[in-house]
Amino acid sequence: MLVLPLKTQVVPSGSFPRSPNKLHFHHNVSLTVSLTVGTPPQNVSMVLDTGSELSWLRCNKTQTFQTTFDPNRSSSYSPVPCSSLTCTDRTRDFPIPASCDSNQLCHAILSYADASSSEGNLASDTFYIGNSDMPGTIFGCMDSSFSTNTEEDSKNTGLMGMNRGSLSFVSQMDFPKFSYCISDSDFSGVLLLGDANFSWLMPLNYTPLIQISTPLPYFDRVAYTVQLEGIKVSSKLLPLPKSVFVPDHTGAGQTMVDSGTQFTFLLGPVYSALRNEFLNQTSQILRVLEDPNYVFQGGMDLCYRVPLSQTSLPWLPTVSLMFRGAEMKVSGDRLLYRVPGEVRGSDSVYCFTFGNSDLLAVEAYVIGHHHQQNVWMEFDLEKSRIGFAQVQCDLAGQRFGVGL
């Protein structure tokens, strides 16, 4: 993977009183942004995750994880005591409640859907983005972590939580909205914190964020939840009742837009209907990998054999995710992912980029960042909605002076 220095610049905007800040990110399995933290500033690289709340940095150097933040070298670093309102009140949306450690400091344990986890103390320090400094930013200074993808995670210092919880990065910075755009060609993109009313940007289609005020066991109230209403393959609407897309009485079955997940996962009955229709429409042009024991990344069981000599994929039917008020079209190469290093005879293996949530024991629909490539994604916190439009993200990056 090509890793290049990531630039931090400010984008002027007439519609937003503070200049929106933008960070350039690259991605392989994760989207990462680079910035500096502490006094004097230390360089860190953080995974951009709209699916979680608390931002955290790895603070304990190990043989596996060399990229760390050293709180002892920062004069502005301050641990959060467990008696503080930050610890007692603002952690209310954490999946696992914050606790008190032996030093009377606020202790947090974070666990993620991919079975990775991290734990350590809440602290505050100064984060620098563009020409702005953000003193007193709360984050987790993590001294232990378990990863399911050590090779990838060891390249990053931590995670930037961007959901709607009170301690998320975007909530603490009080930005009314943020946007990002991921290129499909050069592993780059642009993250914009602030308003993005630019004349060259085509009108966005908006879908409202779904709010449920009652706490439900399986409903994440601070996630970016939207309402999926149907799925089309080419022009054919899958014959599914709209009720299958609505969360049940426990809150299971919400649809979350998650930049921290690579692919898109659907609940079993919907996934099966999509799988069958895609198989049906590609039966003449793709050769299925007949291996019942092979499941890619635990939830993707529809894979194909493509000759190594074949330089491009055949025409594929477009899959359209139909949200309330907006539609996201997944077409071409974004429908199939070549599994690195997987070769069968003279064929490479490509897997369908939609997976089955049931196989992962995840009670939700999750829209991952692979299907957000070349889509301008705007998270409008002020108006409680998400907007998107098809754009060439490498060109968008160039307009902001961000290019590799």
Side-chain angles (χ1 to χ4, degrees), residues 95 212 214-221 248-254 363:
I212 293 184
T214 323
L216 296 173
Y218 293 108
F219 191 88
D220 183 345
R221 288 191 297 165
D248 66 17
H249 65 285
T250 68
Q254 74 189 108
E363 298 276 344

Side-chain angles (χ1 to χ4, degrees), residues 354-377:
F354 291 85
N356 187 344
S357 295
D358 293 9
L359 292 177
L360 298 177
V362 174
E363 298 276 344
Y365 298 93
V366 182
I367 313 299
H369 68 68
H370 183 77
H371 293 158
Q372 299 170 38
Q373 289 176 0
N374 280 333
V375 179
W376 186 272
M377 299 289 301

Side-chain angles (χ1 to χ4, degrees), residues 277-288 304 314-317:
E277 187 55 39
F278 192 80
L279 267 172
N280 187 37
Q281 292 194 27
T282 56
S283 60
Q284 302 301 309
I285 51 172
L286 289 172
R287 182 181 167 204
V288 176
Y304 296 93
W315 173 89
L316 298 169

Side-chain angles (χ1 to χ4, degrees), residues 77 79-83 87 98-108 119-122 141 143:
Y77 175 86
V80 172
C82 52
S83 57
C87 192
S99 61
C100 232
D101 71 5
S102 56
N103 298 316
Q104 300 301 299
L105 297 177
C106 192
H107 189 76
E119 68 175 292
N121 291 112
L122 260 59
C141 197
D143 47 34

